[in-house]
Amino acid sequence: MTEAPEPGVPNGRAPARNRPGTPCRVSLMVHGMAAAQAFYGDLFGWEFQPGPSRLGPCVRALLNGHEVGGIGQLPPGRRLPVAWTPYLASDDVDLTAETVRLCGGTVGVGPLEAGGVGRLTIGSDPWGAVFGLLQARTCPGTQTAGPLPGTPVWHELLTYETAGVATFYSRLFGYERKPDGSAGVDRVTLHLDGRPVAGVHGVGRALPHDRGPHWMTYFEVTDTDEATARVLDLGGRVLTPARDTPRGRVATVTDPEGARFALIRSAR
């Protein structure tokens, strides 16, 4: 079992959106759409509306009328890992997708138009971690002055080591890389314009064998312990029990289909 790293959320605030390279959307592909909506609707209070038909059966997840993510249906018979995928903002998805290829990554979907969402593509870095790129027509996600329960507030890449993969992402968006500084910890925070926008954590062989390198999304909650107990009640699993970190109280969990994510009550 891999413990989720302590998130690098600055004072519990979500990073600025829309600047190229900032996480701007999250999506989840599942086998059971109705069950996923029931799970996340109960856990986070989300409501759902139909999403762009170009992407296949999918819904937009809404909180207080604002979009916080999307859930889509995996094709029948495709036993792909169920996972949350962050999208990084881009001013030109086609150009950024080509840069992904030139830097050793892979583009698996798109670029394509996704209804009212914008132009997007889905690819992976050279170590296999899946991420999306989005050229949005409007500013996606919930805009708040602070962390709102039920919204994604941080994204961190769990991978083998940080040096090579951080270089890959920096070539895409010009991130400034700041090491954690703790002895024996292989972690860097990616900054844009002096603001932390995402983290990279090298955990070597501690990566789960059924996952490999992957992005972890942190969702804000009012009470991490209560939310963790609710995950269990709803049929999910707890990978790492709630614990205190310098950034807040964090737990790592999965939904009933096995999608990993983190719950955080950000430090105030």
Side-chain angles (χ1 to χ4, degrees), residues 6 37 121 153 187 196 256:
E6 297 171 5
Q37 290 177 67
T121 189
V153 293
R187 181 190 287 124

Side-chain angles (χ1 to χ4, degrees), residues 1-3 158-160 202-209 212 214 260:
M1 180 177 68
T2 301
E3 290 194 4
L158 294 175
T159 189
Y160 298 112
V203 296
R205 295 183 179 180
L207 278 171
H209 297 298
H214 61 280
R260 297 167 180 254

Side-chain angles (χ1 to χ4, degrees), residues 15-264:
R17 299 176 188 269
N18 281 349
R19 164 73 157 86
T22 58
C24 60
R25 189 174 189 267
V26 292
S27 71
L28 174 68
M29 298 296 290
V30 299
H31 299 287
M33 286 276 288
Q37 290 177 67
F39 175 85
Y40 288 102
D42 192 307
L43 182 62
F44 294 135
W46 291 351
E47 298 178 340
F48 301 94
Q49 291 182 352
S53 58
R54 178 71 184 274
L55 301 179
C58 64
V59 294
R60 291 187 173 103
L62 306 177
L63 185 67
N64 299 333
H66 297 278
E67 184 174 347
V68 294
I71 300 177
Q73 176 79 53
L74 283 167
R78 296 288 299 276
R79 305 310 299 178
L80 298 173
V82 177
W84 280 99
T85 300
Y87 286 75
L88 306 176
S90 171
D91 285 340
D92 187 332
V93 159
D94 295 77
L95 179 60
T96 308
E98 184 59 26
T99 305
V100 168
R101 294 189 184 98
L102 292 173
C103 293
T106 301
V107 174
V109 176
L112 55 80
E113 294 294 327
V117 174
R119 190 163 179 79
L120 61 78
T121 189
I122 300 174
S124 59
D125 64 34
W127 291 263
V130 176
F131 65 98
L133 301 169
L134 176 63
Q135 186 177 340
R137 291 193 178 88
T138 59
C139 184
T142 299
Q143 302 297 296
T144 63
L148 180 67
T151 61
V153 293
W154 187 246
H155 304 272
E156 191 145 66
L157 173 61
L158 294 175
T159 189
Y160 298 112
E161 51 82 28
T162 63
V165 72
T167 297
F168 168 81
Y169 287 99
S170 294
R171 286 175 177 169
L172 297 184
F173 295 112
Y175 296 122
E176 179 187 1
R177 291 166 281 177
K178 295 189 177 181
D180 178 274
S182 301
V185 176
D186 183 19
R187 181 190 287 124
V188 298
T189 303
L190 305 178
H191 287 68
L192 287 171
D193 300 327
R195 293 177 60 99
V197 296
V200 182
H201 187 191
V203 296
R205 295 183 179 180
L207 278 171
H209 297 298
D210 62 338
R211 273 310 135 151
H214 61 280
W215 283 90
M216 178 80 73
T217 297
Y218 289 74
F219 292 95
E220 185 72 24
V221 293
T222 302
D223 185 300
T224 304
D225 297 83
E226 290 182 2
T228 301
R230 191 61 189 148
V231 165
L232 291 173
D233 291 341
L234 294 170
R237 292 189 300 135
V238 176
L239 301 180
T240 305
R243 75 260 185 221
D244 292 319
T245 77
R247 302 298 183 179
R249 190 160 177 80
V250 180
T252 311
V253 299
T254 79
D255 66 19
E257 286 200 30
R260 297 167 180 254
F261 60 98
L263 304 168
I264 180 170

